[in-house]
Amino acid sequence: MTIGGIIGGILMLSGAAFLFLAGLGLVRMPDLFNRLQAGTKATTLGTLLTLAGAACLRPDWAVKLLLIGLFILFTNPISSQVLARAAHRTGTPQAAGTVDRLAEDREKRP
Amino acid sequence: MKKASAIAILFLTLLIFWLLLNGSLAADIVIVGVVTALVIAILFRDGLAVFSEFRATPRAFLTAFLYLPYFLGELIKSNLHIARVVLTPSLPLNPAIVKVRTRLKSRMGRLILANSITLTPGTLTVELDGEWLYIHWVTAEATDIDAATAQIVAGFEKYLEVMYG
């Protein structure tokens, strides 16, 4: 086992752990917005760590893996933001006790 | 002049992307890349504000360089935070949609700010309205505008203000 192999293995394993936690969060969170937080974004770090691990195992893939990581960083937040906005506009129910400044402002100017 | 440099920057970025994806400098690949990148750069010269709104000063480049490690640090910190919340049996949530204000003026600066906020787990940009951002916060510590702005926005804004203004 080479040094790169060990580091790569550790990185991929921790990436998988974050992906697992994201899945767990998806089950445990109470409403759509909180689920979106766990399900779409804890995966960002999980995927990035997995890619970094793969880059350690196969250094000749590193450039392409870096590009994949960049694409994820650029596209991931946009999709979750648009999902959240659509959910809010259609009045998706929120967990009890949520303070909602956006709904307050919407009511002020019809 | 401004238009020509916008086309040149976009063209070079696309070409470098293409060459990195192919991982080769064979003549046919380079020719196809040059032609395609040129056509796209001319057609979309006004489309990519990432580059045209970037203040190309040495200080902005340095800040952009420093922004990445700061952002990655925030990403890891907040991931661990959410992991702890998810693993706690009582699920200590305090969800809120808070309103924050940004000092950034440019479209691109606001976009990167919103994306950075969304990428750090625990905070999710729900709606953008001019200088106001509405952010869903899993474990809200403050719901008034100034305190929430200081908590969520201030750290990223410091960097982006130099880069985009």
Side-chain angles (χ1 to χ4, degrees), chain A residues 21 28 30 33-34 37 41-42 44-45 63-64 67 71 73 80-81 85 88-89 98-99 101 105-106 109, chain B residues 17 20-21 79 83 86 88-89 91 93 95-97 99 118-119 122-127 129 134 136 143:
Chain A
L21 287 173
R28 292 203 69 199
F33 295 97
N34 289 309
Q37 299 258 17
K41 292 181 294 134
T44 315
L45 185 62
V63 176
K64 278 179 196 174
L67 287 180
F71 278 124
L73 278 179
S80 33
Q81 189 258 318
R85 189 174 65 180
H88 195 277
R89 284 185 181 172
T98 303
V99 180
R101 299 269 182 246
D105 281 8
R106 284 249 169 81
R109 18 151 222 204
Chain B
F17 243 86
L20 286 178
L21 277 172
N79 262 290
V86 168
T88 311
L91 206 62
L93 295 179
I97 294 181
K99 186 179 183 181
T118 303
L119 269 169
T123 49
L124 166 67
T125 314
V126 176
E127 185 81 272
D129 182 14
Y134 297 89
H136 183 267
T143 50

Side-chain angles (χ1 to χ4, degrees), chain B residues 10-100:
Chain B
L10 185 54
F11 168 75
L12 283 175
T13 316
L14 289 168
L15 187 62
I16 290 169
F17 243 86
W18 169 258
L19 293 176
L20 286 178
L21 277 172
N22 274 288
S24 114
L25 284 171
D28 51 344
I29 285 172
V30 175
I31 291 168
V32 170
V34 166
V35 172
T36 331
L38 196 61
V39 171
I40 295 174
I42 290 168
L43 286 178
F44 292 94
R45 58 184 176 272
D46 303 320
L48 274 184
V50 187
F51 307 110
S52 52
E53 282 183 9
F54 187 79
R55 293 180 180 169
T57 62
R59 189 149 168 255
F61 280 109
L62 181 69
T63 316
F65 190 69
L66 291 173
Y67 184 66
L68 199 63
Y70 171 75
F71 170 73
L72 287 176
E74 288 292 305
L75 187 67
I76 292 169
K77 238 171 34 194
S78 54
N79 262 290
L80 292 173
H81 175 65
I82 288 296
R84 206 169 56 229
V85 169
V86 168
L87 286 174
T88 311
S90 60
L91 206 62
L93 295 179
N94 181 22
I97 294 181
V98 298
K99 186 179 183 181
V100 298

